[in-house]
Amino acid sequence: HELTAEPLRQAIVALVQNAFDASAPDQAVTLRLDQRAGGVRVEVVDTGRGMDDALSARVGEPFVTTKPPGAGLGLGLFLARAFAEQMGGGLSVRSALGRGTSVVLELPTS
């Protein structure tokens, strides 16, 4: 699979937007991009409200969202995960209630 810029951009924008939505205006969102042997790793970290284990296990499924009604469809993580898997990579979520969330998108470059 050839890694193309536009779907990657869309996935990163969705992950960063989710992080900002989960965070208060004065809380930082961190975006880390690492090139590794054979791949790229993108990590988005927020210090927002976080999620409990049950919800963390379900994010990435279609229409699962932490946003209030009308504020989001719950498709951003789902589409980012679908893109990652289509490219032979993966998406993982780690979250702790009250401490924030880390989402890692890993993609092969070859």
Side-chain angles (χ1 to χ4, degrees):
H1 301 288
E2 183 178 328
L3 187 58
T4 55
E6 185 56 23
L8 177 58
R9 184 196 70 78
Q10 290 174 359
I12 293 171
V13 167
L15 299 178
V16 169
Q17 186 61 56
N18 281 350
F20 279 123
D21 289 348
S23 302
D26 62 341
Q27 290 178 311
V29 169
T30 303
L31 172 62
R32 293 185 187 105
L33 303 168
D34 297 308
Q35 185 174 355
R36 298 176 174 205
V40 174
R41 182 178 188 272
V42 178
E43 182 177 20
V44 179
V45 180
D46 70 62
T47 55
R49 60 187 168 271
M51 297 174 281
D52 62 26
D53 291 342
L55 184 54
S56 289
R58 294 195 58 223
V59 294
E61 294 177 14
F63 307 109
V64 174
T65 183
T66 61
K67 298 174 187 171
L73 295 175
L75 293 175
L77 279 175
F78 169 72
L79 294 173
R81 174 170 280 141
F83 165 68
E85 290 173 356
Q86 178 184 14
M87 299 306 298
L91 185 130
S92 61
V93 178
R94 288 187 329 252
S95 190
L97 198 55
R99 292 190 300 191
T101 301
S102 168
V103 179
V104 175
L105 174 69
E106 294 184 286
L107 301 167
T109 53
S110 53

PDB file of all heavy atoms in Angstrom, residues 18-54:
ATOM      1  N   ASN A  18     -10.470  15.787  17.848  1.00  0.00           N
ATOM      2  CA  ASN A  18     -11.042  15.061  18.983  1.00  0.00           C
ATOM      3  C   ASN A  18     -10.337  15.452  20.281  1.00  0.00           C
ATOM      4  O   ASN A  18     -10.978  15.631  21.313  1.00  0.00           O
ATOM      5  CB  ASN A  18     -10.923  13.551  18.785  1.00  0.00           C
ATOM      6  CG  ASN A  18     -11.975  12.997  17.857  1.00  0.00           C
ATOM      7  OD1 ASN A  18     -12.911  13.673  17.482  1.00  0.00           O
ATOM      8  ND2 ASN A  18     -11.794  11.757  17.471  1.00  0.00           N
ATOM      9  N   ALA A  19      -9.014  15.557  20.231  1.00  0.00           N
ATOM     10  CA  ALA A  19      -8.246  15.915  21.422  1.00  0.00           C
ATOM     11  C   ALA A  19      -8.608  17.316  21.897  1.00  0.00           C
ATOM     12  O   ALA A  19      -8.787  17.545  23.099  1.00  0.00           O
ATOM     13  CB  ALA A  19      -6.747  15.807  21.134  1.00  0.00           C
ATOM     14  N   PHE A  20      -8.730  18.262  20.977  1.00  0.00           N
ATOM     15  CA  PHE A  20      -9.128  19.620  21.364  1.00  0.00           C
ATOM     16  C   PHE A  20     -10.545  19.632  21.927  1.00  0.00           C
ATOM     17  O   PHE A  20     -10.828  20.319  22.908  1.00  0.00           O
ATOM     18  CB  PHE A  20      -9.010  20.594  20.191  1.00  0.00           C
ATOM     19  CG  PHE A  20      -7.625  21.105  19.960  1.00  0.00           C
ATOM     20  CD1 PHE A  20      -7.015  20.930  18.737  1.00  0.00           C
ATOM     21  CD2 PHE A  20      -6.916  21.762  20.962  1.00  0.00           C
ATOM     22  CE1 PHE A  20      -5.725  21.401  18.515  1.00  0.00           C
ATOM     23  CE2 PHE A  20      -5.632  22.241  20.748  1.00  0.00           C
ATOM     24  CZ  PHE A  20      -5.033  22.056  19.519  1.00  0.00           C
ATOM     25  N   ASP A  21     -11.438  18.861  21.319  1.00  0.00           N
ATOM     26  CA  ASP A  21     -12.823  18.801  21.805  1.00  0.00           C
ATOM     27  C   ASP A  21     -12.898  18.231  23.220  1.00  0.00           C
ATOM     28  O   ASP A  21     -13.775  18.606  23.991  1.00  0.00           O
ATOM     29  CB  ASP A  21     -13.687  17.949  20.872  1.00  0.00           C
ATOM     30  CG  ASP A  21     -13.963  18.624  19.539  1.00  0.00           C
ATOM     31  OD1 ASP A  21     -13.700  19.835  19.391  1.00  0.00           O
ATOM     32  OD2 ASP A  21     -14.430  17.919  18.617  1.00  0.00           O
ATOM     33  N   ALA A  22     -11.986  17.332  23.573  1.00  0.00           N
ATOM     34  CA  ALA A  22     -11.990  16.694  24.891  1.00  0.00           C
ATOM     35  C   ALA A  22     -11.278  17.536  25.948  1.00  0.00           C
ATOM     36  O   ALA A  22     -11.327  17.200  27.126  1.00  0.00           O
ATOM     37  CB  ALA A  22     -11.328  15.316  24.809  1.00  0.00           C
ATOM     38  N   SER A  23     -10.635  18.606  25.520  1.00  0.00           N
ATOM     39  CA  SER A  23      -9.804  19.403  26.421  1.00  0.00           C
ATOM     40  C   SER A  23     -10.420  20.771  26.682  1.00  0.00           C
ATOM     41  O   SER A  23     -11.117  21.320  25.833  1.00  0.00           O
ATOM     42  CB  SER A  23      -8.415  19.605  25.801  1.00  0.00           C
ATOM     43  OG  SER A  23      -7.804  18.368  25.533  1.00  0.00           O
ATOM     44  N   ALA A  24     -10.115  21.321  27.845  1.00  0.00           N
ATOM     45  CA  ALA A  24     -10.492  22.695  28.155  1.00  0.00           C
ATOM     46  C   ALA A  24      -9.624  23.643  27.324  1.00  0.00           C
ATOM     47  O   ALA A  24      -8.534  23.254  26.870  1.00  0.00           O
ATOM     48  CB  ALA A  24     -10.292  22.958  29.649  1.00  0.00           C
ATOM     49  N   PRO A  25     -10.081  24.875  27.116  1.00  0.00           N
ATOM     50  CA  PRO A  25      -9.320  25.807  26.272  1.00  0.00           C
ATOM     51  C   PRO A  25      -7.874  26.035  26.726  1.00  0.00           C
ATOM     52  O   PRO A  25      -7.008  26.303  25.901  1.00  0.00           O
ATOM     53  CB  PRO A  25     -10.116  27.104  26.365  1.00  0.00           C
ATOM     54  CG  PRO A  25     -11.502  26.669  26.689  1.00  0.00           C
ATOM     55  CD  PRO A  25     -11.353  25.438  27.547  1.00  0.00           C
ATOM     56  N   ASP A  26      -7.592  25.908  27.999  1.00  0.00           N
ATOM     57  CA  ASP A  26      -6.232  26.160  28.485  1.00  0.00           C
ATOM     58  C   ASP A  26      -5.379  24.896  28.584  1.00  0.00           C
ATOM     59  O   ASP A  26      -4.248  24.943  29.052  1.00  0.00           O
ATOM     60  CB  ASP A  26      -6.277  26.862  29.842  1.00  0.00           C
ATOM     61  CG  ASP A  26      -6.954  26.023  30.913  1.00  0.00           C
ATOM     62  OD1 ASP A  26      -7.697  25.085  30.569  1.00  0.00           O
ATOM     63  OD2 ASP A  26      -6.748  26.308  32.103  1.00  0.00           O
ATOM     64  N   GLN A  27      -5.899  23.758  28.132  1.00  0.00           N
ATOM     65  CA  GLN A  27      -5.152  22.498  28.196  1.00  0.00           C
ATOM     66  C   GLN A  27      -4.427  22.245  26.883  1.00  0.00           C
ATOM     67  O   GLN A  27      -4.963  22.487  25.808  1.00  0.00           O
ATOM     68  CB  GLN A  27      -6.090  21.328  28.499  1.00  0.00           C
ATOM     69  CG  GLN A  27      -6.638  21.356  29.903  1.00  0.00           C
ATOM     70  CD  GLN A  27      -7.603  20.214  30.152  1.00  0.00           C
ATOM     71  OE1 GLN A  27      -8.500  19.970  29.364  1.00  0.00           O
ATOM     72  NE2 GLN A  27      -7.386  19.506  31.257  1.00  0.00           N
ATOM     73  N   ALA A  28      -3.214  21.741  27.004  1.00  0.00           N
ATOM     74  CA  ALA A  28      -2.393  21.461  25.823  1.00  0.00           C
ATOM     75  C   ALA A  28      -2.824  20.166  25.144  1.00  0.00           C
ATOM     76  O   ALA A  28      -3.281  19.231  25.793  1.00  0.00           O
ATOM     77  CB  ALA A  28      -0.933  21.357  26.232  1.00  0.00           C
ATOM     78  N   VAL A  29      -2.651  20.141  23.840  1.00  0.00           N
ATOM     79  CA  VAL A  29      -2.772  18.937  23.032  1.00  0.00           C
ATOM     80  C   VAL A  29      -1.418  18.752  22.367  1.00  0.00           C
ATOM     81  O   VAL A  29      -0.868  19.692  21.796  1.00  0.00           O
ATOM     82  CB  VAL A  29      -3.893  19.070  21.978  1.00  0.00           C
ATOM     83  CG1 VAL A  29      -3.834  17.928  20.973  1.00  0.00           C
ATOM     84  CG2 VAL A  29      -5.251  19.124  22.656  1.00  0.00           C
ATOM     85  N   THR A  30      -0.870  17.562  22.454  1.00  0.00           N
ATOM     86  CA  THR A  30       0.454  17.293  21.915  1.00  0.00           C
ATOM     87  C   THR A  30       0.335  16.377  20.702  1.00  0.00           C
ATOM     88  O   THR A  30      -0.360  15.362  20.756  1.00  0.00           O
ATOM     89  CB  THR A  30       1.350  16.611  22.979  1.00  0.00           C
ATOM     90  OG1 THR A  30       1.402  17.456  24.127  1.00  0.00           O
ATOM     91  CG2 THR A  30       2.744  16.374  22.450  1.00  0.00           C
ATOM     92  N   LEU A  31       1.024  16.749  19.637  1.00  0.00           N
ATOM     93  CA  LEU A  31       1.090  15.943  18.422  1.00  0.00           C
ATOM     94  C   LEU A  31       2.548  15.538  18.235  1.00  0.00           C
ATOM     95  O   LEU A  31       3.427  16.390  18.162  1.00  0.00           O
ATOM     96  CB  LEU A  31       0.604  16.742  17.216  1.00  0.00           C
ATOM     97  CG  LEU A  31       0.785  16.118  15.831  1.00  0.00           C
ATOM     98  CD1 LEU A  31       0.009  14.823  15.699  1.00  0.00           C
ATOM     99  CD2 LEU A  31       0.387  17.108  14.750  1.00  0.00           C
ATOM    100  N   ARG A  32       2.785  14.233  18.198  1.00  0.00           N
ATOM    101  CA  ARG A  32       4.142  13.715  17.979  1.00  0.00           C
ATOM    102  C   ARG A  32       4.150  12.905  16.689  1.00  0.00           C
ATOM    103  O   ARG A  32       3.309  12.029  16.501  1.00  0.00           O
ATOM    104  CB  ARG A  32       4.571  12.804  19.124  1.00  0.00           C
ATOM    105  CG  ARG A  32       4.742  13.492  20.437  1.00  0.00           C
ATOM    106  CD  ARG A  32       5.284  12.508  21.493  1.00  0.00           C
ATOM    107  NE  ARG A  32       5.287  13.135  22.789  1.00  0.00           N
ATOM    108  CZ  ARG A  32       4.416  12.872  23.763  1.00  0.00           C
ATOM    109  NH1 ARG A  32       3.476  11.969  23.576  1.00  0.00           N
ATOM    110  NH2 ARG A  32       4.475  13.498  24.908  1.00  0.00           N
ATOM    111  N   LEU A  33       5.123  13.179  15.844  1.00  0.00           N
ATOM    112  CA  LEU A  33       5.314  12.432  14.609  1.00  0.00           C
ATOM    113  C   LEU A  33       6.705  11.832  14.649  1.00  0.00           C
ATOM    114  O   LEU A  33       7.682  12.558  14.830  1.00  0.00           O
ATOM    115  CB  LEU A  33       5.188  13.344  13.383  1.00  0.00           C
ATOM    116  CG  LEU A  33       3.878  14.121  13.253  1.00  0.00           C
ATOM    117  CD1 LEU A  33       4.007  15.187  12.191  1.00  0.00           C
ATOM    118  CD2 LEU A  33       2.749  13.179  12.929  1.00  0.00           C
ATOM    119  N   ASP A  34       6.784  10.532  14.492  1.00  0.00           N
ATOM    120  CA  ASP A  34       8.065   9.844  14.511  1.00  0.00           C
ATOM    121  C   ASP A  34       8.189   8.975  13.281  1.00  0.00           C
ATOM    122  O   ASP A  34       7.282   8.207  12.970  1.00  0.00           O
ATOM    123  CB  ASP A  34       8.195   8.943  15.744  1.00  0.00           C
ATOM    124  CG  ASP A  34       8.175   9.711  17.046  1.00  0.00           C
ATOM    125  OD1 ASP A  34       8.967  10.660  17.177  1.00  0.00           O
ATOM    126  OD2 ASP A  34       7.366   9.357  17.930  1.00  0.00           O
ATOM    127  N   GLN A  35       9.329   9.086  12.609  1.00  0.00           N
ATOM    128  CA  GLN A  35       9.629   8.159  11.534  1.00  0.00           C
ATOM    129  C   GLN A  35      10.463   7.044  12.125  1.00  0.00           C
ATOM    130  O   GLN A  35      11.447   7.293  12.822  1.00  0.00           O
ATOM    131  CB  GLN A  35      10.398   8.858  10.425  1.00  0.00           C
ATOM    132  CG  GLN A  35      10.628   7.975   9.234  1.00  0.00           C
ATOM    133  CD  GLN A  35      11.258   8.730   8.080  1.00  0.00           C
ATOM    134  OE1 GLN A  35      11.443   9.935   8.131  1.00  0.00           O
ATOM    135  NE2 GLN A  35      11.581   8.009   7.034  1.00  0.00           N
ATOM    136  N   ARG A  36      10.035   5.838  11.893  1.00  0.00           N
ATOM    137  CA  ARG A  36      10.723   4.666  12.415  1.00  0.00           C
ATOM    138  C   ARG A  36      11.075   3.746  11.271  1.00  0.00           C
ATOM    139  O   ARG A  36      10.562   3.912  10.169  1.00  0.00           O
ATOM    140  CB  ARG A  36       9.827   3.937  13.415  1.00  0.00           C
ATOM    141  CG  ARG A  36       9.521   4.831  14.608  1.00  0.00           C
ATOM    142  CD  ARG A  36       8.573   4.205  15.551  1.00  0.00           C
ATOM    143  NE  ARG A  36       8.460   5.094  16.715  1.00  0.00           N
ATOM    144  CZ  ARG A  36       8.112   4.702  17.893  1.00  0.00           C
ATOM    145  NH1 ARG A  36       7.831   3.443  18.113  1.00  0.00           N
ATOM    146  NH2 ARG A  36       8.032   5.559  18.877  1.00  0.00           N
ATOM    147  N   ALA A  37      11.926   2.788  11.541  1.00  0.00           N
ATOM    148  CA  ALA A  37      12.295   1.829  10.494  1.00  0.00           C
ATOM    149  C   ALA A  37      11.031   1.178   9.947  1.00  0.00           C
ATOM    150  O   ALA A  37      10.312   0.507  10.671  1.00  0.00           O
ATOM    151  CB  ALA A  37      13.236   0.776  11.061  1.00  0.00           C
ATOM    152  N   GLY A  38      10.747   1.447   8.697  1.00  0.00           N
ATOM    153  CA  GLY A  38       9.608   0.818   8.039  1.00  0.00           C
ATOM    154  C   GLY A  38       8.266   1.448   8.317  1.00  0.00           C
ATOM    155  O   GLY A  38       7.246   0.925   7.889  1.00  0.00           O
ATOM    156  N   GLY A  39       8.231   2.572   9.036  1.00  0.00           N
ATOM    157  CA  GLY A  39       6.930   3.139   9.323  1.00  0.00           C
ATOM    158  C   GLY A  39       6.932   4.524   9.918  1.00  0.00           C
ATOM    159  O   GLY A  39       7.978   5.123  10.156  1.00  0.00           O
ATOM    160  N   VAL A  40       5.736   5.002  10.127  1.00  0.00           N
ATOM    161  CA  VAL A  40       5.486   6.309  10.720  1.00  0.00           C
ATOM    162  C   VAL A  40       4.572   6.110  11.920  1.00  0.00           C
ATOM    163  O   VAL A  40       3.626   5.312  11.867  1.00  0.00           O
ATOM    164  CB  VAL A  40       4.804   7.253   9.701  1.00  0.00           C
ATOM    165  CG1 VAL A  40       4.405   8.566  10.332  1.00  0.00           C
ATOM    166  CG2 VAL A  40       5.692   7.489   8.498  1.00  0.00           C
ATOM    167  N   ARG A  41       4.850   6.841  13.004  1.00  0.00           N
ATOM    168  CA  ARG A  41       4.020   6.789  14.207  1.00  0.00           C
ATOM    169  C   ARG A  41       3.535   8.197  14.506  1.00  0.00           C
ATOM    170  O   ARG A  41       4.331   9.127  14.586  1.00  0.00           O
ATOM    171  CB  ARG A  41       4.832   6.253  15.379  1.00  0.00           C
ATOM    172  CG  ARG A  41       4.048   6.104  16.661  1.00  0.00           C
ATOM    173  CD  ARG A  41       4.966   5.518  17.748  1.00  0.00           C
ATOM    174  NE  ARG A  41       4.253   5.171  18.931  1.00  0.00           N
ATOM    175  CZ  ARG A  41       4.011   6.011  19.947  1.00  0.00           C
ATOM    176  NH1 ARG A  41       4.441   7.264  19.880  1.00  0.00           N
ATOM    177  NH2 ARG A  41       3.361   5.601  21.007  1.00  0.00           N
ATOM    178  N   VAL A  42       2.227   8.341  14.627  1.00  0.00           N
ATOM    179  CA  VAL A  42       1.603   9.615  14.962  1.00  0.00           C
ATOM    180  C   VAL A  42       0.906   9.426  16.300  1.00  0.00           C
ATOM    181  O   VAL A  42       0.092   8.514  16.452  1.00  0.00           O
ATOM    182  CB  VAL A  42       0.571  10.038  13.889  1.00  0.00           C
ATOM    183  CG1 VAL A  42      -0.108  11.337  14.275  1.00  0.00           C
ATOM    184  CG2 VAL A  42       1.216  10.133  12.518  1.00  0.00           C
ATOM    185  N   GLU A  43       1.221  10.276  17.271  1.00  0.00           N
ATOM    186  CA  GLU A  43       0.568  10.196  18.578  1.00  0.00           C
ATOM    187  C   GLU A  43      -0.043  11.547  18.904  1.00  0.00           C
ATOM    188  O   GLU A  43       0.599  12.585  18.772  1.00  0.00           O
ATOM    189  CB  GLU A  43       1.558   9.803  19.672  1.00  0.00           C
ATOM    190  CG  GLU A  43       0.896   9.676  21.033  1.00  0.00           C
ATOM    191  CD  GLU A  43       1.846   9.227  22.130  1.00  0.00           C
ATOM    192  OE1 GLU A  43       3.072   9.373  21.958  1.00  0.00           O
ATOM    193  OE2 GLU A  43       1.357   8.739  23.157  1.00  0.00           O
ATOM    194  N   VAL A  44      -1.301  11.519  19.325  1.00  0.00           N
ATOM    195  CA  VAL A  44      -2.008  12.720  19.770  1.00  0.00           C
ATOM    196  C   VAL A  44      -2.388  12.492  21.220  1.00  0.00           C
ATOM    197  O   VAL A  44      -3.052  11.505  21.552  1.00  0.00           O
ATOM    198  CB  VAL A  44      -3.261  12.990  18.905  1.00  0.00           C
ATOM    199  CG1 VAL A  44      -3.989  14.234  19.397  1.00  0.00           C
ATOM    200  CG2 VAL A  44      -2.885  13.136  17.434  1.00  0.00           C
ATOM    201  N   VAL A  45      -1.953  13.413  22.089  1.00  0.00           N
ATOM    202  CA  VAL A  45      -2.169  13.277  23.526  1.00  0.00           C
ATOM    203  C   VAL A  45      -2.901  14.512  24.035  1.00  0.00           C
ATOM    204  O   VAL A  45      -2.493  15.638  23.750  1.00  0.00           O
ATOM    205  CB  VAL A  45      -0.823  13.131  24.279  1.00  0.00           C
ATOM    206  CG1 VAL A  45      -1.055  13.002  25.772  1.00  0.00           C
ATOM    207  CG2 VAL A  45      -0.031  11.957  23.741  1.00  0.00           C
ATOM    208  N   ASP A  46      -3.964  14.267  24.795  1.00  0.00           N
ATOM    209  CA  ASP A  46      -4.646  15.379  25.460  1.00  0.00           C
ATOM    210  C   ASP A  46      -4.684  15.123  26.955  1.00  0.00           C
ATOM    211  O   ASP A  46      -4.469  13.997  27.406  1.00  0.00           O
ATOM    212  CB  ASP A  46      -6.049  15.598  24.891  1.00  0.00           C
ATOM    213  CG  ASP A  46      -7.042  14.497  25.240  1.00  0.00           C
ATOM    214  OD1 ASP A  46      -7.320  14.296  26.440  1.00  0.00           O
ATOM    215  OD2 ASP A  46      -7.560  13.848  24.314  1.00  0.00           O
ATOM    216  N   THR A  47      -4.920  16.168  27.707  1.00  0.00           N
ATOM    217  CA  THR A  47      -5.062  16.057  29.166  1.00  0.00           C
ATOM    218  C   THR A  47      -6.494  16.393  29.558  1.00  0.00           C
ATOM    219  O   THR A  47      -6.734  16.961  30.613  1.00  0.00           O
ATOM    220  CB  THR A  47      -4.052  16.965  29.894  1.00  0.00           C
ATOM    221  OG1 THR A  47      -4.210  18.304  29.415  1.00  0.00           O
ATOM    222  CG2 THR A  47      -2.628  16.508  29.664  1.00  0.00           C
ATOM    223  N   GLY A  48      -7.420  16.024  28.695  1.00  0.00           N
ATOM    224  CA  GLY A  48      -8.836  16.299  28.911  1.00  0.00           C
ATOM    225  C   GLY A  48      -9.474  15.344  29.895  1.00  0.00           C
ATOM    226  O   GLY A  48      -8.798  14.741  30.732  1.00  0.00           O
ATOM    227  N   ARG A  49     -10.772  15.167  29.755  1.00  0.00           N
ATOM    228  CA  ARG A  49     -11.548  14.406  30.736  1.00  0.00           C
ATOM    229  C   ARG A  49     -11.272  12.906  30.708  1.00  0.00           C
ATOM    230  O   ARG A  49     -11.570  12.203  31.658  1.00  0.00           O
ATOM    231  CB  ARG A  49     -13.031  14.690  30.558  1.00  0.00           C
ATOM    232  CG  ARG A  49     -13.592  14.336  29.210  1.00  0.00           C
ATOM    233  CD  ARG A  49     -15.039  14.818  29.082  1.00  0.00           C
ATOM    234  NE  ARG A  49     -15.484  14.740  27.715  1.00  0.00           N
ATOM    235  CZ  ARG A  49     -15.362  15.700  26.810  1.00  0.00           C
ATOM    236  NH1 ARG A  49     -14.789  16.830  27.139  1.00  0.00           N
ATOM    237  NH2 ARG A  49     -15.797  15.537  25.584  1.00  0.00           N
ATOM    238  N   GLY A  50     -10.711  12.387  29.624  1.00  0.00           N
ATOM    239  CA  GLY A  50     -10.419  10.962  29.542  1.00  0.00           C
ATOM    240  C   GLY A  50     -11.679  10.118  29.470  1.00  0.00           C
ATOM    241  O   GLY A  50     -12.801  10.629  29.439  1.00  0.00           O
ATOM    242  N   MET A  51     -11.482   8.810  29.430  1.00  0.00           N
ATOM    243  CA  MET A  51     -12.598   7.870  29.322  1.00  0.00           C
ATOM    244  C   MET A  51     -12.355   6.696  30.247  1.00  0.00           C
ATOM    245  O   MET A  51     -11.202   6.336  30.510  1.00  0.00           O
ATOM    246  CB  MET A  51     -12.703   7.340  27.886  1.00  0.00           C
ATOM    247  CG  MET A  51     -13.000   8.397  26.856  1.00  0.00           C
ATOM    248  SD  MET A  51     -12.925   7.720  25.171  1.00  0.00           S
ATOM    249  CE  MET A  51     -11.148   7.692  24.898  1.00  0.00           C
ATOM    250  N   ASP A  52     -13.440   6.074  30.699  1.00  0.00           N
ATOM    251  CA  ASP A  52     -13.284   4.856  31.491  1.00  0.00           C
ATOM    252  C   ASP A  52     -12.939   3.694  30.553  1.00  0.00           C
ATOM    253  O   ASP A  52     -12.969   3.829  29.329  1.00  0.00           O
ATOM    254  CB  ASP A  52     -14.530   4.572  32.326  1.00  0.00           C
ATOM    255  CG  ASP A  52     -15.789   4.335  31.501  1.00  0.00           C
ATOM    256  OD1 ASP A  52     -15.698   3.901  30.328  1.00  0.00           O
ATOM    257  OD2 ASP A  52     -16.882   4.578  32.033  1.00  0.00           O
ATOM    258  N   ASP A  53     -12.589   2.553  31.125  1.00  0.00           N
ATOM    259  CA  ASP A  53     -12.156   1.400  30.328  1.00  0.00           C
ATOM    260  C   ASP A  53     -13.222   0.917  29.356  1.00  0.00           C
ATOM    261  O   ASP A  53     -12.912   0.536  28.229  1.00  0.00           O
ATOM    262  CB  ASP A  53     -11.727   0.248  31.242  1.00  0.00           C
ATOM    263  CG  ASP A  53     -10.449   0.553  32.001  1.00  0.00           C
ATOM    264  OD1 ASP A  53      -9.707   1.472  31.595  1.00  0.00           O
ATOM    265  OD2 ASP A  53     -10.188  -0.124  33.005  1.00  0.00           O
ATOM    266  N   ALA A  54     -14.474   0.922  29.775  1.00  0.00           N
ATOM    267  CA  ALA A  54     -15.553   0.428  28.918  1.00  0.00           C
ATOM    268  C   ALA A  54     -15.700   1.298  27.673  1.00  0.00           C
ATOM    269  O   ALA A  54     -15.827   0.781  26.558  1.00  0.00           O
ATOM    270  CB  ALA A  54     -16.862   0.380  29.696  1.00  0.00           C
TER     271      ALA A  54
END
